[in-house]
Amino acid sequence: MAGALLVDSPNYSAVSDNYLSNGTLGDKDDIRDRELLILRLGEQYKREGKTKELSQLIKDSKPFLSLISKAKAAKLVRTLLGLYLTSSANPEAKVLLCNECIDWAKSEKIIFLQHFLETQLIVLYNEAGMFSNALALSTTLLQHLKKLEDKHLVVEVQLSESKTFYALSNLPRALASLTSARAAANGIYCPPELQAALDMQSGIIHAAHDQDFKTAFSYFCEALEVYNSIENPKALIALKYMLLSKIMLNDPGDIHHLLNTKLTLKYTGRDIEAMKSVAEATRKRSLAAFQLSLETYKDELENDEVIRTHLKTLYEDMLTHNLCRIIEPYSRVQVSYISEAINLSAHEVEKKLSQMILDKRFNGILDQGSGVLISFPEKPVDRNYDATLPIVQSMLKVVETLYQKALKI
């Protein structure tokens, strides 16, 4: 069979010239065989990690795709490109190939495929850190999709747009895009994976924008249940975010119970151990243990932007509280003593103390010449001004009322 020849052939280019690029088509069986051969070869390249060959297969298949129906061609391109986008190819190569497929879809006037590929391209732009490109494309694409009333793609694009704004630290715009995506999703059937993605992003935004980790935890829990039901690997990420929420809520004791439920028992490994280690360090209020956890599980904790951001905030809060507890009894205390007590370098302690003084979280000065922190007594707050302001405002209203009555006389 020609299919066996194509898959097993050591010289793919020769076979593709004679078979895939053949300008003539046989009966329906011939067309089906060619489609099957292309898919099998693509899956083989994906399994073997041959990303260049997979990319070339997509390009070499275009002459054949131009000879079959647009619906079949679109399905084949989506499948092959999906294999390539989930491969180990670098982000720049994925962006380049996706753009080439979009150009092909435009030339063939397959509009629905073009819009689908542009939606995927926005995701790729986000992964590659090309956020300005992602925003420009999402703005243009949303205008076309709303005219066509393609609400499913509208939801996906607005979700990607929310992720772009989050990456740019524009939380109000990220929340606005997410709200629009959820509103559009309410009017259509939302596939489980897309619904889980909406819940995941909702949890991330609530945690970042409002510091509402209780609500974020519930969203992450919903995402975990859906991802777990469809056996999506993102279930582990949702579970890590749930554990992060418990840590940020200063409730690390619940983590042991959470990890022993029927839903979470099967999730083990370094990712879970990393979160348990951070939770234990938080419970002990130990900065040394916290830093050790970050060093031991660096890949698991720092490669995720959400976890890295919140753990940095948690570390800064722990450091501030520990410093305040150490220096509270003293009016003058040596920085070297604080450094030894908190098990950090003198440079780090000085930097943090300077920041606390500038932020007015500590009333004092650093005498760097003698290496001493001098604290000033808190000035008593005069409450008379606060008490006087409402009286003045009330008197102003009385005067305005009398003035209005005088005008009527």
Side-chain angles (χ1 to χ4, degrees):
M1 182 181 176
L5 176 63
L6 180 60
V7 173
D8 298 332
S9 173
N11 188 358
Y12 162 67
S13 61
V15 176
S16 65
D17 288 340
N18 295 328
Y19 193 75
L20 292 181
S21 302
N22 189 351
T24 60
L25 289 178
D27 55 14
K28 292 182 179 180
D29 290 339
D30 180 43
I31 296 174
R32 185 177 65 252
D33 287 344
R34 295 194 189 198
E35 292 175 2
L36 185 60
L37 292 175
I38 294 172
L39 289 175
R40 284 181 176 176
L41 188 57
E43 291 169 355
Q44 178 181 330
Y45 285 152
K46 169 70 182 300
R47 287 194 306 270
E48 296 175 356
K50 297 180 178 180
T51 57
K52 291 184 179 179
E53 288 81 355
L54 179 54
S55 174
Q56 191 62 41
L57 173 64
I58 297 173
K59 297 174 183 178
D60 291 344
S61 302
K62 289 177 182 178
F64 166 70
L65 296 174
S66 300
L67 299 175
I68 60 178
S69 68
K70 291 184 178 181
K72 288 185 176 181
K75 182 179 179 181
L76 198 55
V77 170
R78 288 178 61 166
T79 304
L80 290 174
L81 189 62
L83 292 173
Y84 185 76
L85 297 184
T86 54
S87 70
S88 57
N90 63 69
E92 291 76 12
K94 292 179 180 179
V95 168
L96 182 61
L97 182 61
C98 192
N99 270 312
E100 291 180 7
C101 291
I102 290 172
D103 292 338
W104 178 83
K106 287 180 180 178
S107 66
E108 295 293 323
K109 297 182 180 180
I110 310 179
I111 304 302
F112 59 93
L113 176 62
Q114 175 191 336
H115 289 162
F116 171 80
L117 295 178
E118 287 176 339
T119 303
Q120 298 301 307
L121 182 58
I122 295 172
V123 176
L124 294 176
Y125 279 149
N126 283 337
E127 292 177 355
M130 304 166 68
F131 302 120
S132 58
N133 297 44
L135 288 178
L137 180 57
S138 62
T139 301
T140 305
L141 182 56
L142 279 173
Q143 293 175 351
H144 295 297
L145 293 176
K146 288 178 179 178
K147 290 179 181 178
L148 297 173
E149 295 186 354
D150 191 339
K151 292 186 178 180
H152 184 275
L153 285 184
V154 166
V155 173
E156 291 193 22
V157 173
Q158 288 176 330
L159 177 59
S160 295
E161 188 179 59
S162 176
K163 293 179 179 180
T164 305
F165 282 124
Y166 174 79
L168 294 171
S169 299
N170 192 339
L171 297 180
R173 293 291 299 276
L175 179 59
S177 296
L178 177 63
T179 303
S180 299
R182 295 192 72 91
N186 289 334
I188 60 171
Y189 166 73
C190 201
E193 188 170 0
L194 181 56
Q195 183 60 54
L198 287 169
D199 288 334
M200 186 83 93
Q201 183 68 5
S202 297
I204 292 172
I205 297 299
H206 272 83
H209 187 264
D210 302 321
Q211 299 295 303
D212 185 359
F213 290 98
K214 188 174 181 179
T215 303
F217 177 85
S218 64
Y219 277 119
F220 294 142
C221 187
E222 293 288 338
L224 172 62
E225 290 179 357
V226 176
Y227 281 139
N228 181 71
S229 66
I230 60 177
E231 298 183 352
N232 191 303
K234 291 182 180 179
L236 179 60
I237 301 176
L239 178 56
K240 287 176 68 176
Y241 289 172
M242 288 172 64
L243 300 179
L244 175 67
S245 299
K246 286 294 183 183
I247 293 172
M248 297 302 294
L249 285 168
N250 196 24
D251 196 10
D254 269 4
I255 287 181
H256 177 74
H257 171 72
L258 182 61
L259 291 175
N260 283 280
T261 61
K262 184 179 179 180
L263 182 63
T264 60
L265 271 174
K266 67 179 182 180
Y267 296 102
T268 57
R270 284 183 60 85
D271 289 279
I272 301 302
E273 292 301 319
M275 301 308 296
K276 288 168 66 176
S277 177
V278 171
E280 183 64 17
T282 305
R283 187 184 67 81
K284 294 179 179 178
R285 288 291 169 184
S286 171
L287 286 171
F290 193 96
Q291 284 188 314
L292 181 61
S293 298
L294 294 180
E295 293 172 3
T296 306
Y297 301 100
K298 184 174 182 180
D299 292 339
E300 291 77 12
L301 297 176
E302 295 196 3
N303 288 346
D304 189 303
E305 182 184 356
V306 175
I307 293 178
R308 181 177 66 249
T309 300
H310 289 297
L311 289 187
K312 182 180 179 181
T313 302
L314 179 61
Y315 176 79
E316 293 295 327
D317 290 341
M318 287 178 61
L319 179 56
T320 300
H321 291 318
N322 276 269
L323 287 174
C324 290
R325 179 173 52 82
I326 293 171
I327 65 182
E328 185 179 7
Y330 305 100
S331 59
R332 294 172 61 91
V333 58
Q334 290 183 330
V335 174
S336 58
Y337 169 76
I338 302 174
S339 174
E340 292 175 5
I342 207 168
N343 197 23
L344 288 175
S345 67
H347 174 72
E348 289 181 88
V349 171
E350 283 187 2
K351 182 179 178 181
K352 184 60 181 177
L353 289 173
S354 300
Q355 182 182 342
M356 290 170 61
I357 292 171
L358 291 173
D359 293 341
K360 297 184 179 179
R361 301 189 68 172
F362 175 75
N363 188 22
I365 61 170
L366 263 174
D367 187 348
Q368 292 183 318
S370 57
V372 172
L373 175 69
I374 304 172
S375 61
F376 299 145
E378 293 290 336
K379 295 181 180 179
V381 179
D382 192 345
R383 302 294 182 185
N384 290 329
Y385 293 103
D386 295 334
T388 304
L389 187 59
I391 298 175
V392 173
Q393 291 175 339
S394 298
M395 291 298 296
L396 181 60
K397 291 180 181 179
V398 171
V399 172
E400 289 178 351
T401 303
L402 292 174
Y403 176 72
Q404 293 298 329
K405 289 183 177 182
L407 291 177
K408 296 178 181 179
I409 296 175

